Amino acid sequence: MDQAVFQTLTDTLSSESNTRLAAELRLKELQVNPEFPVSLVRLALARECNISQRHSAAVLLKNYVDTQWSEKSNKFHGPEPPAETKAAVREMVLAGLSDPVNRIRVACAYVISKIAHHDWPEQWTNLLDVLVHHLKNGSADEVHGSMRVLAEFVNKDITHVQLPLVAPVLFPELLRILLSEQLYSHATRSRCASIFRNAVEMLYTIKEEHPEAVKEYLTPIIGSWNEAFIAILNKRTLDNPEIEVGEWGLKTEILKCINLAIQGFPKLMAPYLLQVLSPVWQDVLHLRPRYLTQHVNTSDSAGETFQDSDGEAIGFEMLLFVQFEFIQIASRRRKLTQTAFIGEDGKSGILTELVWNTLSYMQMTDDQADTWISDPNQFIADEEDDSYSFNVRIAAEDLLATLAENFESETLNALNLSVKQEVSSSLNEKGAGNINWWKAQESSLLAVGLFAGDLSETIRTGGQTPVDVGAFFDHVILGNLSQHDFPFLQGRSFVFASQFASILPANLASQYVSAAVEAIMRSPSAVVKVSALKALNNFNQYLDKQYIAPHQSSILQGVAPMMEVTTEETLSLILRTLISTSKIDEKVTAELESILGPLVLDSWIKYPADHMISMDIMDFFDALAANQSIYPALNARALPVLVNMISAENPDNARISSAIDLLKSLVQGGPSPLPPNYVAQFFHNLMSVLLTTDDRDILQSGQECLTIVVQKDIQQVAEWRDPTGGKNGMELIIQFIAKLLDPSQTESAALFVGDLISKLIKKGSDLVSPILPDLLNAVTLRLADAKLPSFIQPLVMVFAQLCLSQHEVVINFLSGLNINGRNGLDIVMSAWLGNHADFTGVYNQKVSTVALTKMFMSADPRIAAVQVQGDLIVPTSSRIVTRSRSRTTPDQFTVTTVPVKIIRLLATDLTNKIEEEEDQAAEPDYDDEDGDDDWEDEDDGRPREQFSYLSDIMDSHGLDMEGDDEEEVDPDILADPIYQLNMKTYLVDFFRQCVQQNSPAFAQSASELSDIEKKTLSSLLEN
């Protein structure tokens, strides 16, 4: 068997493709042999074989363990080896931990950790003893291999159940190795810190359920580990680059562990915070010149790259990430660190020098400058506020922002001193001929710009700012706008000026806008053009339109051609500029329809797959379609294109859905009623697609589009007649609604059918009356088994709207319905009351509330007879609820009557409205002097599913949870008096009316409330 495996593996490495293919097929045959994994282990450990063969055997063994070792594996496909084979492999593979070849040693360690995941501790009882023995008495190779196993082991397989077996024997040995500087490499010692960090993280995840584990296994040893960490952090080698790099890697792992421990166990870590801050601060000082030399001002030489013993690249940038993160964490613990940062007198701490150093780390590196000049797309991606990129520059920005959050006035004062020093120094460097003189100025502008919002507000209200913004404009910005040889400084100056646009004097505002337009039109630098685009976006946002209006035509004509020669990231910025600029003066925009119309349509056709870009294009089209001055010309240009795209013969469903969305924008921007014969131009194509497709996106877009068409001109819809089938437009819409309400249709595909039905009823009047009973019957039938709250809400709103004026008719109708044995009133009220509290949109919430008050005040006995879901019954059992048990024993609820449920919901609504008013009236308190709460073991109130480190980072369609975008553009909603209702006043009046009238229904409902609910309602009415 050994020879067969050896020969087959050798053939898999052949340069001859046929030989390789035959060998791979042969391997699949060999894998079913019980002796196959044993042969793989022997070959992996055979030092007389070449390394490639041995490594291939080890990798194949790892794959074998993944797919055949245990049927519990997600990748298992069998057959599983017999127990004796497993035992032989477990015993043999341990020898690989002492192999002198690093690749083999690491591969064997990975195999062991994979096997341990399935077999430890039940089938591999001695594994931990072997690993710990290696740590105590083994060679450097055995220690390294065992550490690799333990790193995976502790991270994935040890729980609080195994912790008593592991902690007492493992932690002391890890600490001993960590401190044995002369015996073990920095990489091996780093692994000790990493394993300890994994253990700390595991303890954090279980500390709520098992606080005794923290007290027993972490509290007694945290002091000795921190003392070791601090000793290592204080060590700094200066004359040996190899050792220095090893120290960087070790310190990085230590600080990862410390940062995690502080966040998970702040009280335990409190005594050591200042002791850690001191060496971290010294390292930040020490590394600054090296960072500037090796990364910022490299000239012809780049910074060195190093690898640890495992072949992983390391460098001091990773160390800077965790150091900056630690300083941020420390700055948030003001009670413990305030003296260190700002001193007893508020001036003598490290903060001033720290801010100055942070500006250096914010400077642009040569690599960044080279990349961004050649790829402006990457420049935008890296410099956006929500960038996915992470580097020292961004980490330093985050650090500066955090310092300002916790020591605001001191940080801004320090920033003012630092930027003055940097600007002065940069001018001296410029005079001395340093080609990188501009970088310090650029980072200074970047730093001050981070606080532009607060500084502008202070200046606008007549206050004194710690940072002398005026000096920048007087002595720096204007001059930089002509620094054509230094595009990043010129571009940053444009952005800086726009960030303070709201406080610019009139003459300067116009001057800067003009300069930005000129840069877009004439600058040869893509970096400057991109920066000017950012500036124009800010100017549009913060400046009075009078300063931009004179340049509107130039901006549109200058920016529009950039669409044809740009890439995705830049395109998004261009589109945002066009959108904001096109809204300044509709008539100016209309004059350029011959440019903008083809541009938006061509872009829409060109970028069908990029979701973010297509959304920006849609927004641009929306802005143009809403412009009454440009509408006739845009409509004449766009409608034929869209109608041609909306075709049952078009196989591109995504493009059809998008075309329907654009059509909706055109209809929405048109007059009401629509121009004669307008609907006839698109209705046949639209309904042909909607009645034959099952594509979810097309169906959703169609529902929204038809809702707008009905709102604008239902008469045209009713008068239109299909030349082929003879049906009129109303009949086709009803046919479409029936398709959507069919139980076989998915709820997500029919998400907006309720809105369409409500609009039909509101606008259709006599046109809908003959079919209204059938329509409501279909809605009730669909509500009977509806699950999605976002689908249920618009269906319920159909009845809620009707209840506002015809609640008795609704009650009579529903009482007479029988849907599969359930009364219609039961179906609708159960869905309504079960979801009312989660309804979204201010208008929908108000309609639902008012309609419920009318249903309650009807005092109809048929309403009182309906029982609905009440409160959740909290189980009294102390048994842990697993996923399987939760499926077999779902949540249970009490049963209550509709009137009681309505009173409970409305009382909750009133409570929420009162709390909202109180929150709005309350003055915000941002003082966090007492924010540490004596450093109890909490996680700072920030929810996190898992720990994260700086060093590890790499349309709701009218259903938005917060806002009312749909409501703001729907004139029917804005015209409805209910939209203007003060719900607190309305509900208080409702409850008081119930009390004054001594309504039996209210008395009965109130008597069934809990004592707490009665007390709450009583106190609400007293307010």
Side-chain angles (χ1 to χ4, degrees), residues 762 801 804 843 847 970-981:
K762 187 176 185 68
Q801 289 278 4
L804 295 177
Y843 177 72
V847 167
D970 189 335
D972 294 336
I973 290 177
L974 296 177
D976 192 332
I978 287 181
Y979 187 64
Q980 308 301 329
L981 271 183

Side-chain angles (χ1 to χ4, degrees), residues 336-400:
L336 294 172
T337 62
Q338 179 168 319
T339 302
F341 279 104
I342 61 175
E344 295 287 352
D345 57 358
K347 299 179 181 179
S348 57
I350 67 172
L351 187 63
T352 299
E353 194 171 1
L354 174 59
V355 169
W356 178 72
N357 276 267
T358 303
L359 293 185
S360 296
Y361 288 113
M362 286 173 63
Q363 288 189 34
M364 193 180 300
T365 67
D366 282 349
D367 282 345
Q368 287 170 335
D370 292 342
T371 299
W372 293 341
I373 286 175
S374 61
D375 186 1
N377 216 36
Q378 192 63 45
F379 175 56
I380 295 175
D382 290 346
E383 290 288 275
E384 287 285 351
D385 291 338
D386 55 354
S387 172
Y388 290 107
S389 303
F390 197 73
N391 49 54
V392 173
R393 178 178 169 97
I394 294 174
E397 290 179 49
D398 292 343
L399 172 57
L400 185 61

Side-chain angles (χ1 to χ4, degrees), residues 541-671:
Q541 182 177 356
Y542 299 121
L543 270 184
D544 190 291
K545 301 308 179 209
Q546 64 175 311
Y547 301 117
I548 307 175
H551 306 283
Q552 180 182 355
S553 181
S554 297
I555 294 172
L556 293 174
Q557 292 184 74
V559 173
M562 297 174 66
M563 293 272 287
E564 301 174 5
V565 294
T566 190
T567 48
E568 284 77 2
E569 292 288 349
T570 312
L571 183 62
S572 181
L573 180 59
I574 292 171
L575 284 166
R576 295 200 302 269
T577 306
L578 289 172
I579 292 168
S580 58
T581 306
S582 67
K583 295 178 180 179
I584 295 172
D585 187 324
E586 291 189 349
K587 293 182 179 179
V588 172
T589 302
E591 293 173 358
L592 299 173
E593 192 280 332
S594 60
I595 297 174
L596 302 179
L599 180 69
V600 69
L601 290 174
D602 290 347
S603 300
W604 172 66
I605 293 171
K606 185 177 179 181
Y607 296 97
D610 191 309
H611 177 70
M612 296 306 298
I613 295 299
S614 64
M615 290 299 293
D616 286 332
I617 293 171
M618 292 285 292
D619 289 343
F620 185 30
F621 189 89
D622 287 347
L624 295 179
N627 182 337
Q628 295 304 301
S629 298
I630 204 175
Y631 183 81
L634 179 67
N635 184 73
R637 184 186 303 277
L639 189 58
V641 175
L642 300 179
V643 171
N644 184 60
M645 195 69 71
I646 303 170
S647 168
E649 284 73 41
N650 185 353
D652 191 342
N653 287 336
R655 185 58 60 80
I656 293 174
S657 174
S658 179
I660 295 174
D661 289 336
L662 293 184
L663 174 62
K664 181 193 76 171
S665 296
L666 273 184
V667 175
Q668 195 162 28

Side-chain angles (χ1 to χ4, degrees), residues 897-948:
T897 63
V898 166
V900 173
K901 183 74 170 184
I902 289 176
I903 293 300
R904 283 178 171 165
L905 289 173
L906 297 183
T908 301
D909 284 350
L910 179 55
T911 301
N912 292 337
K913 293 302 176 186
I914 291 174
E915 290 177 352
E916 285 176 13
E917 289 190 6
E918 291 174 349
D919 290 342
Q920 291 171 1
E923 287 292 328
D925 180 11
Y926 299 111
D927 184 12
D928 63 348
E929 285 292 328
D930 299 320
D932 295 310
D933 295 330
D934 293 325
W935 264 53
E936 291 298 326
D937 282 350
E938 299 294 338
D939 62 355
D940 302 331
R942 295 186 296 276
R944 54 172 68 87
E945 294 182 1
Q946 59 185 19
F947 286 97
S948 60

Side-chain angles (χ1 to χ4, degrees), residues 234-252:
N234 274 294
K235 187 174 180 60
R236 191 173 302 107
T237 299
L238 302 178
D239 54 356
N240 189 320
E242 184 176 352
I243 293 178
E244 188 175 20
V245 171
E247 285 180 357
W248 295 341
L250 178 55
K251 288 181 177 182
T252 298

Side-chain angles (χ1 to χ4, degrees), residues 118 273 537 618 624 650 721 757 772 886 1020:
H118 300 295
L273 195 65
N537 271 295
M618 292 285 292
L624 295 179
N650 185 353
R721 190 166 293 277
I757 295 170
L772 184 57
S886 68
L1020 292 175

Side-chain angles (χ1 to χ4, degrees), residues 255-391:
L255 282 172
K256 284 183 182 181
C257 184
I258 289 174
N259 291 344
L260 184 148
I262 292 173
Q263 295 177 76
F265 306 97
K267 194 172 183 179
L268 288 179
M269 295 297 294
Y272 307 99
L273 195 65
L274 291 178
Q275 297 179 59
V276 175
L277 180 58
S278 177
V280 168
W281 165 232
Q282 291 302 316
D283 268 347
V284 169
L285 287 175
H286 170 69
L287 292 173
R288 175 184 170 274
R290 182 189 293 266
Y291 182 75
L292 292 176
T293 301
Q294 293 188 0
H295 293 274
V296 175
N297 305 314
T298 59
S299 298
D300 296 328
S301 61
E304 295 179 87
T305 301
F306 300 90
Q307 292 182 333
D308 64 15
S309 59
D310 292 330
E312 299 175 0
I314 56 177
F316 65 85
E317 287 182 291
M318 292 298 296
L319 176 58
L320 286 171
F321 293 158
V322 292
Q323 287 173 336
F324 289 173
E325 183 182 18
F326 172 80
I327 295 173
Q328 287 177 270
I329 293 171
S331 71
R332 297 188 184 107
R333 317 295 176 180
R334 291 190 56 171
K335 285 185 177 179
L336 294 172
T337 62
Q338 179 168 319
T339 302
F341 279 104
I342 61 175
E344 295 287 352
D345 57 358
K347 299 179 181 179
S348 57
I350 67 172
L351 187 63
T352 299
E353 194 171 1
L354 174 59
V355 169
W356 178 72
N357 276 267
T358 303
L359 293 185
S360 296
Y361 288 113
M362 286 173 63
Q363 288 189 34
M364 193 180 300
T365 67
D366 282 349
D367 282 345
Q368 287 170 335
D370 292 342
T371 299
W372 293 341
I373 286 175
S374 61
D375 186 1
N377 216 36
Q378 192 63 45
F379 175 56
I380 295 175
D382 290 346
E383 290 288 275
E384 287 285 351
D385 291 338
D386 55 354
S387 172
Y388 290 107
S389 303
F390 197 73
N391 49 54

